[in-house]
Each structure stands twice: as structure tokens, then as C-alpha cells.
Amino acid sequence: MEMLLILAVIGVCTAQFSPNLGFGKTSIVHLFEWRWEDIAAECERYLAPNGFGGVQVSPPNENKIITNPSRPWWERYQPISYKICSRSGDEQQFRDMVTRCNNVGVHIYVDAVINHMCGEGLGKGNLSTCGSSYDTDEKSFPAVPYSYLDFNDKKCTTQSGNIENYSDAHQVRDCRLVSLMDLALEKEYVRGKIADYLNELIDIGVAGFRIDAAKHMWPGDLLAIIRKLNNLNTSWFPNGTRPLIFQEVIDLGGEGISASEYYGIGRITEFKYGAKLGKVIRKWEGSYGSREKMAYLKNWGESWGLMPSDRALVFVDNHDNQRGHGGGGSSILTFWESRLYKMAVGFMLAHPYGFTRVMSSFRWTRIFENGKDKNDWVGPPSYLNESTMAVTINEDSTCGNGWVCEHRWRQIKNMVIFRNLARDQPLLNWWDNGENQVAFGRGSVGFIVFNNDDWSFHKSLQTGLPAGIYCDVISGQKEGNTCTGERIEVNGDGFAQFSIKSSDEDPFVAIHINAKL
Ligand code: AAO
């Protein structure tokens, strides 16, 4: 009896770390600002057939419409109510998306903005995505409803009421993040309203949540909310499945709050991952004053100061740091530097560390002034009536209308498949030249080689793979019984000859057992 109780408690406490992906799937993609109907179609026509396990979607709840600047992407981080009603679509469209994606084995993860409501000082009105009213002077959001009793102001001790110093944990949790009205999460009433919202989403069929601004909530308050959550919908998930929780905590070190305070609640976004990997791929100076090189990646993971792998949600860039918001700094690689970016994403997907998220962006016109992009606010491609543009698909399977669709780039899509095959296989046969030529395998299912040096690479390496002819899935892929790109021959002893010129379009090669002729 006692044993059963202990097991039950462990079950409840640990299940929210599991990604809740379908069998054999390992990665999710953030379809930033996409419309629900486009995501539904993408699940069916592309994500399911190519092994993607899930989608992180933009906040689905009603938000403040911001007119100055005009409809920035960040207005979606200013809630007005928990009605499912946003630029991505209405509740009917959201339900349809969740159902259609789940039906093809692609799960939905919601970006949950629960730390705050909209910015202060917006006055009163109903300029919100569903027309619900608000009054920031009275601190009233009738569509929830929240009143002046539900905000934190009394606890915050800074002059401005905003967070002024990130080394003071009390400020970070009790004051306003960039003047956003901070909810009093210790209140049972507030916790209940948030749990009701998340439970509605769970009942519709979502598989988990990104917890926005988790660093700005006391871990105990957040845990109390998570404990109120239902198990996942049994139409698609096994009985008793807990929602995946991944908390946005930016911890690059040196502040008053550490990501480890949140290990007990769920996974955490590991911001050091993209910042450090960016430095390595760019060959910039690292923590010890010398230039980073790929050879150092031999012990990539916890030895680099990253959090435990089973707690980490990892990514090369996210919607904030690809445009200078949030944490990470200038080393972050994005689609704008596509050659280096593909190498970084390729490395991430080949390496066993962490639970991986691929970014999928929209293009905007950057205008740099003193190193800062003046257009860092620009929202998704939109029509004249301000509604978000459809994602169109070109003949070559790339996207139109300003959508970048990094997840459809052959090199990235094929590495998502590589990771699915490699999922539990150990990292084996590491090789490096002491500089920026490195290679490693995953068990006997896949092998990858990088040449990020300025000179050619030509070498025979132990792959760990069975003998045969393999298609490189970076320069091409296997189609029918031919390779559209390079062919690699693995000999009976597992060795294969690799050649990568420093001028190659993509200076890396990857092979796996499903790309064997
Ligand atoms: C907008 C306007 C504001 C206005 C506000 C209210 O831009 O001027 O005051 O409305 O009217 C997004 C946008 C915001 C936007 C907001 C609401 O990014 O610009 O404000 O929507 O519309 C902190 C938080 C983190 C947060 C990040 C942006 O800790 O949670 O700021 N990310 C999430 C979302 C994000 C969203 C929100 C939260 C709000 O992903 O999209 O904001 O819902 C340090 C700290 C970090 C801190 C950063 C940013 O990081 O560690 O915790 O993130 O500063 O200030 C080096 C350091 C690193 C440091 C970093 C700073 O890398 O090592 O530690 O520099 O860049």
C-alpha cells in the first residue's frame, strides 16, 4: 500500500517531464505566429509524414491589439482574457487543429502566458482580439474576471513598480516585467482561473505547455497551478498522462534566479545551449578567452555547464533571441545566416543531449541602428485588413508569403528523421582533428561529419554502420533507389571515406540506416 502510494506520488511528479510524443518521435517545431488552419494542414501534409512529433503554437488566448507600433508580434504576450480568440484563429479553428494534428500523431504544445495581463497605462477600452473590455487604471479584466485584488503591486518594492534589478529574486517575481500587469499567483482565486484556462486546453487535446516568463513566478506558485491540471485527453493519450511542462527561464548565469529552482516542476528552456553553440560554430571567443572550436564539443552537455539533459528543452534560436529580445546575445544563429545555422541545427539534432525544438520563422525587414534592429517588433506577414497571411507552399516545397519554414529545409527535416532513428542510441566513434572537423555516430544507425575549418577534409572514419551504399541526407536524400546528393560507401569494417570542401554549400554530411540503398 505504502509502496503504491510512493509510486503514485513519483508518477505524478515526474510525468510532466515526458515530452508526450508519439512512438519514435523526438522533436517539436515552433510554428511562430501561424494560423490554426495552416498548422492543421501542415500536420497532415508535412509534419506527420516527416517524423515531427509536435508543434509549439503561439498564445491562443485573447490579447490586447497594439496599434503603435502596428500589430507587433509581441501583442500576443499581453492577455486580456482566456477566451481562445487570437490572430491565429478562433476557438473552432483551434479545436479543429488540435483534433486533426492529434489524429495524425502530431501533438500541440501551447504557449501559456499566465504571469501577467497587458501592459499598464493602456487605460480603458475594448481594443482586443475578441472585443473584451479592460481597464488598466482600475486593474479590471471583466472577461476573466480579474480585479485590482488579483495583482501584485503591494508586494513590489521598486520605485517604478517594474523589475529594475535581475539579481534581486523578489523584484523579478513580485514586480512587473517590462510594465506588464503582474498577477498575484499566491491567490487561490487567480490560480483557479489560470488552471481553468489550461484545463480547457487539455480537454481539447493539447499535450503540454510552454510556461511563458516562468522565471517571474515563484516556483511554489507555479507548482500549485500545475498540480491543478487535468490528465491529458484519453481520446489520444494513455490514461493518467500528465501534460508536458517546459518553463521559460532565462538563466545564463550571474543573476539572482537559477534554472535549478524549477527542476522539480518540469523541463526548462536551456538558453545557454544556443548561446554557446553559436559561439562554437562562429569560432568566437569562449568563456576561457580562447577561440571556441568544434573539437571542444566532444563533451557537449552537462560538462559545458548545461542543465541535466532530462530537464532541458533545447533550441538554436527562439522567437525572442532571433530578433534581439530575451536572452542569448549576439552569438545566436538564425535563418539569416543559413549556412552556419543549418550546421548548428544539424549538430543539435544529431547529438543526444536534451529535448529538441526546431524554430520556424517569418521574414521581416531588418533596420540596424547602433547594432539594434529597429524593426524587432514587426508582426507576421499580414493582409491589408491586418489578418495574418496564409502559409502558401511553393512547387519546391518551400513556403511563400514571407514564411521562412526552416523546418522544411531539406537539411533540417532530414536531421529530424535522423534523430528519430538515433533516439536511444549512444554517441559513439567520436573523431576530431583538434580544430573544427568533427564526426560522431549514434549506435549503429547514423553518422555525421562536419568540416567547419577553412580547409578541405578528406578522411576515412569508423562509422559504426553496416556495410552498404548510403545517401548523404544533407546534400540530397534517398529517393527510390537513388541518391539525389552524395553517396557514401561504408565498407565491411564500418569505415567510410568522407570528403568535404570548405567551400561546399553545406560543409557537413550525414548518413543513416533509412537512407541506405
Ligand atoms: C512590450 C514592449 C515593452 C512594454 C511592454 C508593455 O516591448 O516596451 O513595456 O510591451 O507594454 C514580449 C516582448 C516584449 C513585449 C512583451 C509584451 O519581448 O518586448 O513588451 O512581449 O508585449 C525577460 C523575461 C522573459 C521574456 C523576455 C523577453 O525573463 O520571460 O524578457 N520572454 C517572454 C516571451 C516574450 C514576451 C514575454 C516573456 C512577456 O518569450 O516574447 O515579451 O510575456 C536578461 C534576463 C532575462 C530577460 C532579458 C530581457 O537577459 O536574464 O530574464 O528576459 O534580460 O530583458 C544577456 C544576458 C541575459 C539578459 C540578456 C538581455 O544575454 O546574459 O541574462 O542579455 O537581452
Side-chain angles (χ1 to χ4, degrees):
M1 183 61 201
E2 205 174 38
M3 194 58 201
L4 270 181
L5 201 71
I6 293 173
L7 284 178
V9 170
I10 294 176
V12 167
C13 295
T14 58
Q16 62 267 42
F17 304 102
S18 158
N20 293 335
L21 300 170
F23 180 74
K25 311 281 188 69
T26 52
S27 301
I28 60 173
V29 54
H30 179 22
L31 297 180
F32 178 48
E33 284 280 6
W34 280 42
R35 305 181 316 163
W36 308 147
E37 52 180 297
D38 291 326
I39 295 177
E42 190 71 352
C43 284
E44 294 168 343
R45 72 189 165 202
Y46 197 86
L47 300 178
N50 287 299
F52 287 83
V55 182
Q56 179 185 317
V57 302
S58 284
N61 62 293
E62 179 173 26
N63 64 260
K64 175 82 183 82
I65 290 180
I66 303 285
T67 52
N68 183 23
S70 178
R71 308 305 304 266
W73 61 268
W74 45 253
E75 69 172 39
R76 298 186 71 166
Y77 293 89
Q78 302 206 20
I80 293 295
S81 82
Y82 298 133
K83 290 182 187 159
I84 301 176
C85 182
S86 69
R87 249 180 145 188
S88 288
D90 61 21
E91 183 176 335
Q92 199 37 54
Q93 291 162 327
F94 183 85
R95 286 177 181 273
D96 182 59
M97 165 187 74
V98 172
T99 301
R100 286 167 60 191
C101 290
N102 277 337
N103 283 348
V104 294
V106 180
H107 299 154
I108 299 295
Y109 301 82
V110 164
D111 194 346
V113 187
I114 57 175
N115 171 67
H116 50 261
M117 300 301 279
C118 67
E120 65 165 348
L122 296 169
K124 121 202 210 146
N126 61 357
L127 194 56
S128 29
T129 48
C130 231
S132 296
S133 64
Y134 52 83
D135 184 337
T136 61
D137 302 332
E138 298 288 327
K139 301 192 172 71
S140 162
F141 295 87
V144 179
Y146 285 137
S147 74
Y148 69 96
L149 295 168
D150 302 319
F151 293 88
N152 256 339
D153 310 272
K154 297 235 168 59
K155 287 193 287 172
C156 173
T157 54
T158 64
Q159 188 88 48
S160 62
N162 296 334
I163 299 164
E164 294 171 359
N165 177 2
Y166 269 92
S167 57
D168 178 346
H170 284 267
Q171 280 190 29
V172 176
R173 269 93 176 232
D174 292 339
C175 298
R176 293 168 168 169
L177 166 62
V178 293
S179 93
L180 298 160
M181 297 180 64
D182 207 42
L183 286 164
L185 300 177
E186 79 279 11
K187 286 192 63 179
E188 200 47 39
Y189 174 78
V190 176
R191 292 174 177 178
K193 284 294 165 191
I194 293 171
D196 288 349
Y197 165 50
L198 302 183
N199 279 332
E200 185 191 359
L201 296 167
I202 287 174
D203 295 347
I204 289 173
V206 311
F209 302 99
R210 167 192 186 262
I211 306 293
D212 180 68
K215 181 177 170 177
H216 304 277
M217 309 181 207
W218 291 99
D221 290 342
L222 180 53
L223 186 59
I225 294 168
I226 302 304
R227 287 214 168 111
K228 289 181 190 293
L229 300 186
N230 298 343
N231 291 332
L232 299 188
N233 187 321
T234 52
S235 312
W236 296 290
F237 302 94
N239 233 318
T241 308
R242 299 298 293 154
L244 167 68
I245 299 299
F246 56 101
Q247 309 161 87
E248 189 227 5
V249 178
I250 301 178
D251 176 8
L252 295 166
E255 285 185 8
I257 291 170
S258 148
S260 61
E261 296 169 44
Y262 295 83
Y263 288 174
I265 305 174
R267 285 184 179 258
I268 299 119
T269 51
E270 178 49 284
F271 276 82
K272 288 177 185 160
Y273 193 100
K276 290 183 187 244
L277 187 57
K279 279 189 185 164
V280 174
I281 305 283
R282 292 176 185 279
K283 301 183 236 178
W284 281 4
E285 205 170 277
S287 323
Y288 302 105
S290 58
R291 283 216 300 176
E292 294 286 17
K293 31 176 114 162
M294 286 192 84
Y296 296 156
L297 294 174
K298 184 171 186 180
N299 64 352
W300 180 243
E302 287 88 346
S303 325
W304 278 64
L306 304 183
M307 66 183 69
S309 176
D310 63 358
R311 287 296 175 272
L313 180 284
V314 300
F315 46 96
V316 172
D317 62 328
N318 82 343
H319 73 281
D320 282 329
N321 64 19
Q322 68 171 202
R323 45 175 54 69
H325 287 234
S330 52
S331 69
I332 298 297
L333 286 165
T334 71
F335 69 89
W336 294 108
E337 292 164 277
S338 60
R339 191 167 186 266
L340 297 182
Y341 187 66
K342 283 179 277 183
M343 264 199 276
V345 177
F347 180 84
M348 172 181 84
L349 291 169
H351 193 280
Y353 180 88
F355 168 39
T356 44
R357 179 181 65 193
V358 170
M359 181 68 201
S360 190
S361 320
F362 57 79
R363 245 176 232 99
W364 73 100
T365 307
R366 297 187 298 177
I367 303 179
F368 284 109
E369 237 177 60
N370 304 323
K372 194 187 166 325
D373 176 12
K374 277 176 59 182
N375 271 350
D376 66 346
W377 58 271
V378 171
S382 53
Y383 299 108
L384 283 178
N385 68 2
E386 298 188 344
S387 65
T388 301
M389 276 190 175
V391 177
T392 51
I393 307 299
N394 303 321
E395 216 151 288
D396 64 356
S397 95
T398 59
C399 298
N401 274 350
W403 300 98
V404 183
C405 290
E406 295 92 314
H407 68 286
R408 280 176 168 257
W409 294 1
R410 181 189 64 242
Q411 301 85 343
I412 292 178
K413 178 258 299 183
N414 283 341
M415 287 308 297
V416 167
I417 294 169
F418 181 112
R419 189 176 193 77
N420 288 345
L421 295 167
R423 57 187 181 277
D424 299 322
Q425 302 288 327
L427 191 158
L428 295 177
N429 297 311
W430 176 275
W431 174 88
D432 66 69
N433 69 342
E435 294 294 330
N436 293 287
Q437 299 177 347
V438 305
F440 61 95
R442 296 291 304 279
S444 54
V445 308
F447 194 73
I448 190 162
V449 189
F450 294 87
N451 177 14
N452 198 25
D453 277 327
D454 302 330
W455 58 88
S456 288
F457 169 83
H458 192 71
K459 201 168 168 56
S460 177
L461 295 172
Q462 174 57 254
T463 64
L465 298 190
I469 310 275
Y470 292 77
C471 300
D472 169 25
V473 298
I474 304 302
S475 59
Q477 56 196 11
K478 182 180 159 205
E479 266 164 36
N481 225 9
T482 57
C483 297
T484 60
E486 303 270 310
R487 290 156 59 114
I488 304 289
E489 183 170 357
V490 175
N491 301 320
D493 59 3
F495 277 83
Q497 186 71 38
F498 295 91
S499 300
I500 308 175
K501 289 204 276 305
S502 58
S503 59
D504 281 352
E505 185 182 338
D506 293 306
F508 65 117
V509 168
I511 54 178
H512 60 65
I513 41 166
N514 279 16
K516 186 166 178 261
L517 290 185

